[in-house]
Amino acid sequence: MGDAFHVLDVVVALTVGAALATDLSRQRVPNTLTIPVAALGLAYWTAQGDGLFALAGLGVAFGMLFPGFLFGGAIRAGDAKLMMAVGAFWGPAMMFRACVFTYALAIPFGLVVLTLKGKLANVVAVARSAVTPLPGPENPVVVPFVPVLALALLIARTTGVLA
């Protein structure tokens, strides 16, 4: 995909907008949004003769975000599936950049949200539970993470950083 904005960017923007609305209102990104969008991206690029481009984008997003999900970080399954759906449209290079920006933005965003909610002490409990199999905090703070993903995608798509 070239540097100029493309109709695929509109599909991605609408998808991320819908995910942002559901994440902020219900703290989840539904499969009914992400799976059809990923399938649409795969179908589009397959029709263009480059289905591997879509599969590679999907795979890069999975490979880079699965560890964040696996180790109980801020990335939840719906967030990872959203990025995989975007990867099916934008391909591996753009998804690599977007995932790097996601991780770079995650810690400062999480710290700000926890501070605003008066739960900054949860950071120590979460860090400890990532290292040892102790239970996490009794009332974990669910942080809507799609705003971070949206910002990471925007930076990846509109700047030449890491290009």
Side-chain angles (χ1 to χ4, degrees):
M1 190 159 74
D3 284 359
F5 284 98
H6 193 274
V7 69
L8 300 182
D9 295 326
V10 174
V11 174
V12 168
L14 290 172
T15 301
V16 172
L20 186 59
T22 62
D23 195 31
L24 292 174
S25 65
R26 294 182 263 161
Q27 288 77 47
R28 65 184 314 264
V29 178
N31 288 341
T32 55
L33 173 65
T34 57
I35 293 172
V37 170
L40 183 63
L42 286 167
Y44 173 83
W45 284 109
T46 299
Q48 298 299 313
D50 200 2
L52 289 178
F53 177 81
L55 283 173
L58 196 146
V60 165
F62 174 80
M64 290 186 72
L65 296 179
F66 184 70
F69 166 73
L70 184 65
F71 294 111
I75 298 169
R76 293 174 294 167
D79 302 323
K81 287 183 264 187
L82 173 63
M83 291 294 272
M84 291 167 64
V86 173
F89 280 93
W90 281 358
M94 188 70 71
M95 286 319 299
F96 175 80
R97 294 174 56 217
C99 290
V100 168
F101 292 129
T102 295
Y103 281 117
L105 295 169
I107 292 173
F109 177 80
L111 291 174
V112 167
V113 169
L114 290 172
T115 300
L116 292 174
K117 291 186 175 202
K119 300 282 187 166
L120 193 56
N122 285 13
V123 172
V124 174
V126 169
R128 186 178 58 239
S129 68
V131 177
T132 61
L134 298 174
E138 297 246 346
N139 297 315
V141 176
V142 176
V143 177
F145 200 67
V146 174
V148 172
L149 301 179
L151 183 57
L153 289 165
L154 183 65
I155 292 169
R157 186 67 182 103
T158 61
T159 72
V161 177
L162 298 179

